[in-house]
Amino acid sequence: MSQAALRSFTAPKESPRTVAVIDIGATSIRMAIAEIRSGESGSGGEVRTLETLLQSVELGREVFQNRRLSRKNIEKVASVLIRYKQTLREYGVTSPEDVCVVATTAVREAANRVAFTDRIFIATGFHVVPIDEAEVSRITYMGVMPHILGSSELGEGKSIVVEVGGGNTEMLIIRGGNVLHSQSVRLGSLRLLNTLEGVRVSTARRRTILESHIRRMLAQLIDSIQTDATMHLIGLGGEMRFAANQLLGDWDTDSLAKISTKRLERLTEEILGLEPDAIVRRYDASFVEAETLGPSLLAYTLLAKHYELEHLFVCDTNLRDGLLHDMAAGKQLDDDFRNQIVRSAISLGRKFDFDETHARNVAELARKLFEQLADEHQLDSRNEVILFVAALLHEIGLIVNVRSNHKHALYLIRNSELFGLSQGDLMMIGLVARYHRRASPQPSHEGYSTLNQSKRVIVSKLAAILRLAIALDDTRSGRIRDVQCKRGTKEFLIKAIGVDDVSLEQVAMRGSSGLFRDTFGLPVLLRAGK
């Protein structure tokens, strides 16, 4: 081959992967189909949306009233998803790994959600995963942060990121790129409408009742926000996108929209003054959208007026975009998001007056052990985060009682909120912390008995590593900062780098390494290292 031919020759580019995300919400089922192109070295790459579909449903209305999904609506969802599946076939999407189907508040709160997910699987082959508030917060954070960091105006002060959904209102408070607080309250447009069910009142009286309920529920959010800096409000969701398009007309959805609070208030009053049929005709909306538009916009307006904001921002980020980027990135936690989780855990520890220096030392030692024992435990990076947070919080039960503090730690962690961590994550973290001392995991133990085998094994592995890390800082001096691990034929050898005398830690290690021996099959030997 000539040199010219060699110069012109390029390796064929990898074909894009076509994937889809389906979001079963309280008022609609939405599907986004996209192409994912791998980035350099296989990293998460570009996501290009090919098509979006929407079908209105009324799941939220009946669940928020009677806690169950009717057979009629379950079959309607199945029918919609069967049609979506046919569309996916036309795009060549047939592998279950290329389709992510999630459900939010309405399905999550339904007493018969298992029957619902089973029926959908039988009808379509789709595995529906109900996602909780923590997952929604994580995706919201990942979507909105580039806009906040890229804005000189939002770089100063606090940003209150709010999405009023059909069932819940989700809120993040962000300052300097850090999440100060995350919260979910049971305030949603459909729940608000349920308060008016069967009530025959004038339009003006209807608006007054809605405002009263919204103010009472918003108080839960407002109490969590300290007004010690300039405040900014960023609204998410379909209703705010509607408002931005109506008020601006030429909004570039790739950037934040900035709208006047007074203009939003006038639009809200106009919407609230119309019957749903009139909203459908005037704005080409579905009937479900027409019903929820007014209550949702009123909530945003009242929040902006409470902080006396002259304007607020609208961001086009949504759950489906976030899930598509997750698929492109392989669902790995990036460093920034991991750091947000750790900051949240440290804040919780301070709330319970933990020994922060010891907790940080143990967490760092646990992380280093996790990394060096990767060939043994075969766990991914998300489990490292679970171990790290458990190490930070393993002693918070001391605030309740020294005796059984490990059990108190489990209770406190399970019943706390940590940004970015689901209820399942909190259960795992709580159990790892619970087993930092005393008895090994037993089938009869609360929480542990509910786990499947794979998660039980993970808890045992992480708890075993945590016990080693605690033993390494038994003196609470932080003098052991670095370790080297090596597997021998008869034991695991841990060298404490830069420490000449480890006699005290050796005593602690002999008493704490039993779970590691039972889990990994070899005892642990600790020695001083160079």
Side-chain angles (χ1 to χ4, degrees):
M1 184 179 292
S2 68
Q3 291 296 317
L6 283 172
R7 285 194 297 270
S8 65
F9 176 79
T10 57
K13 293 184 178 180
E14 184 179 344
S15 299
R17 173 189 175 200
T18 306
V19 300
V21 168
I22 300 173
D23 169 18
I24 304 173
T27 61
S28 64
I29 305 175
R30 299 172 184 263
M31 179 168 73
I33 306 171
E35 281 185 347
I36 295 175
R37 292 186 179 273
S38 299
E40 295 182 3
S41 301
S43 61
E46 175 189 358
V47 176
R48 184 171 72 92
T49 301
L50 302 175
E51 184 175 355
T52 59
L53 299 174
L54 180 149
Q55 176 65 56
S56 296
V57 292
E58 296 193 37
L59 305 185
R61 181 181 291 277
E62 64 181 6
V63 170
F64 302 147
Q65 282 183 331
N66 58 36
R67 310 283 294 180
R68 294 186 66 83
L69 290 162
S70 66
R71 182 181 297 276
K72 177 182 177 181
N73 268 330
I74 291 175
E75 292 306 317
K76 180 176 181 180
V77 172
S79 177
V80 170
L81 294 180
I82 289 170
R83 294 199 301 273
Y84 282 3
K85 188 170 184 178
Q86 178 57 42
T87 301
L88 291 177
R89 289 196 191 99
E90 295 170 3
Y91 278 92
V93 180
T94 57
S95 171
E97 294 181 355
D98 292 330
V99 183
C100 174
V101 186
V102 301
T104 52
T105 312
V107 172
R108 189 172 64 241
E109 293 188 8
N112 59 336
R113 61 185 174 277
V114 174
F116 169 83
T117 56
D118 287 350
R119 173 65 188 126
I120 297 304
F121 177 74
I122 292 169
T124 67
F126 290 147
H127 290 278
V128 180
V129 180
I131 61 174
D132 62 18
E133 296 91 339
E135 183 70 357
V136 174
S137 293
R138 181 185 71 81
I139 292 171
T140 299
Y141 167 83
M142 299 302 290
V144 79
M145 277 307 299
H147 294 285
I148 294 176
L149 295 176
S151 169
S152 58
E153 188 170 1
L154 295 179
E156 300 293 331
K158 291 181 179 178
S159 294
I160 309 170
V161 183
V162 177
E163 179 167 8
V164 180
N168 288 6
T169 292
E170 312 292 341
M171 179 188 72
L172 293 177
I173 304 174
I174 300 173
R175 184 176 187 177
N178 295 323
V179 176
L180 303 180
H181 182 72
S182 64
Q183 189 173 354
S184 177
V185 297
R186 291 168 64 84
L187 165 69
S189 53
L190 287 177
R191 292 194 204 273
L192 289 169
L193 289 174
N194 284 346
T195 65
L196 298 172
E197 194 73 28
V199 178
R200 294 182 176 274
V201 293
S202 65
T203 301
R205 180 58 180 160
R206 177 186 177 91
R207 187 220 184 279
T208 301
I209 294 172
L210 283 174
E211 180 170 342
S212 175
H213 282 282
I214 290 171
R215 288 189 183 279
R216 185 170 66 252
M217 299 302 291
L218 284 180
Q220 298 180 40
L221 298 177
I222 291 167
D223 287 346
S224 304
I225 307 172
Q226 296 180 1
T227 55
D228 57 348
T230 303
M231 310 297 288
H232 307 288
L233 179 62
I234 303 175
L236 308 178
E239 289 81 5
M240 285 303 289
R241 291 194 293 272
F242 165 86
N245 285 316
Q246 290 297 317
L247 298 176
L248 300 180
D250 58 348
W251 174 34
D252 171 14
T253 56
D254 291 333
S255 61
L256 291 175
K258 185 176 181 180
I259 60 178
S260 160
T261 300
K262 289 184 178 179
R263 293 188 68 194
L264 176 63
E265 184 177 14
R266 287 197 293 269
L267 176 63
T268 301
E269 296 302 330
E270 178 183 329
I271 296 293
L272 288 171
L274 298 173
E275 293 296 327
D277 288 343
I279 297 173
V280 170
R281 292 193 299 271
R282 180 176 298 187
Y283 298 106
D284 192 27
S286 70
F287 188 79
V288 174
E289 291 171 330
E291 285 190 304
T292 60
L293 190 57
S296 180
L297 293 182
L298 182 58
Y300 290 108
T301 301
L302 293 176
L303 189 57
K305 290 180 67 177
H306 173 83
Y307 290 105
E308 300 179 347
L309 301 176
E310 293 183 0
H311 57 262
L312 64 160
F313 298 87
V314 181
C315 183
D316 189 42
T317 188
N318 59 60
L319 181 63
R320 292 164 303 286
D321 290 341
L323 291 170
L324 285 171
H325 281 91
D326 266 2
M327 295 178 78
K331 297 187 178 182
Q332 294 297 312
L333 295 180
D334 65 19
D335 290 341
D336 184 54
F337 191 76
R338 179 190 184 280
N339 291 337
Q340 297 294 342
I341 294 173
V342 170
R343 289 189 187 100
S344 180
I346 290 172
S347 295
L348 180 64
R350 289 170 180 168
K351 178 181 176 181
F352 294 117
D353 197 28
F354 74 151
D355 183 344
E356 185 169 345
T357 300
H358 175 61
R360 285 178 179 268
N361 288 339
V362 170
E364 282 300 323
L365 287 167
R367 180 183 62 80
K368 291 176 179 178
L369 290 169
F370 184 92
E371 290 177 352
Q372 295 190 39
L373 294 169
D375 289 341
E376 305 300 328
H377 59 63
Q378 298 287 308
L379 299 176
D380 61 21
S381 60
R382 189 169 189 91
N383 286 298
E384 184 273 323
V385 174
I386 288 173
L387 172 62
F388 197 92
V389 174
L392 285 172
L393 301 177
H394 73 277
E395 286 190 335
I396 63 172
L398 289 171
I399 199 169
V400 179
N401 200 324
V402 173
R403 181 170 180 163
S404 297
N405 71 81
H406 53 302
K407 297 179 183 178
H408 299 314
L410 168 60
Y411 176 83
L412 292 175
I413 292 169
R414 284 184 64 186
N415 290 280
S416 296
E417 289 188 5
L418 287 173
F419 170 70
L421 295 174
S422 67
Q423 290 299 311
D425 293 332
L426 291 175
M427 171 64 84
M428 296 290 284
I429 291 166
L431 286 169
V432 174
R434 185 250 192 269
Y435 294 121
H436 84 270
R437 65 192 288 268
R438 304 291 292 271
S440 298
Q442 299 295 326
S444 59
H445 289 169
E446 178 186 1
Y448 185 77
S449 61
T450 66
L451 303 181
N452 60 32
Q453 184 182 44
S454 64
K455 290 188 175 181
R456 292 197 304 270
V457 169
I458 291 172
V459 167
S460 295
K461 289 179 177 180
L462 298 182
I465 295 172
L466 176 57
R467 291 190 184 196
L468 301 187
I470 294 170
L472 289 169
D473 197 47
D474 185 66
T475 63
R476 294 181 181 257
S477 63
R479 65 198 191 97
I480 297 179
R481 296 297 182 90
D482 197 11
V483 294
Q484 286 183 353
C485 301
K486 182 179 180 181
R487 180 189 176 105
T489 57
K490 296 183 178 180
E491 75 278 320
F492 278 102
L493 175 63
I494 300 177
K495 288 185 178 181
I497 305 303
V499 181
D500 294 328
D501 182 7
V502 292
S503 55
L504 293 175
E505 289 84 2
Q506 285 173 334
V507 173
M509 188 66 73
R510 282 196 292 270
S512 301
S513 59
L515 179 57
F516 189 93
R517 179 197 61 223
D518 294 342
T519 302
F520 293 98
L522 288 174
V524 176
L525 179 63
L526 174 64
R527 289 181 181 172
K530 295 182 181 181

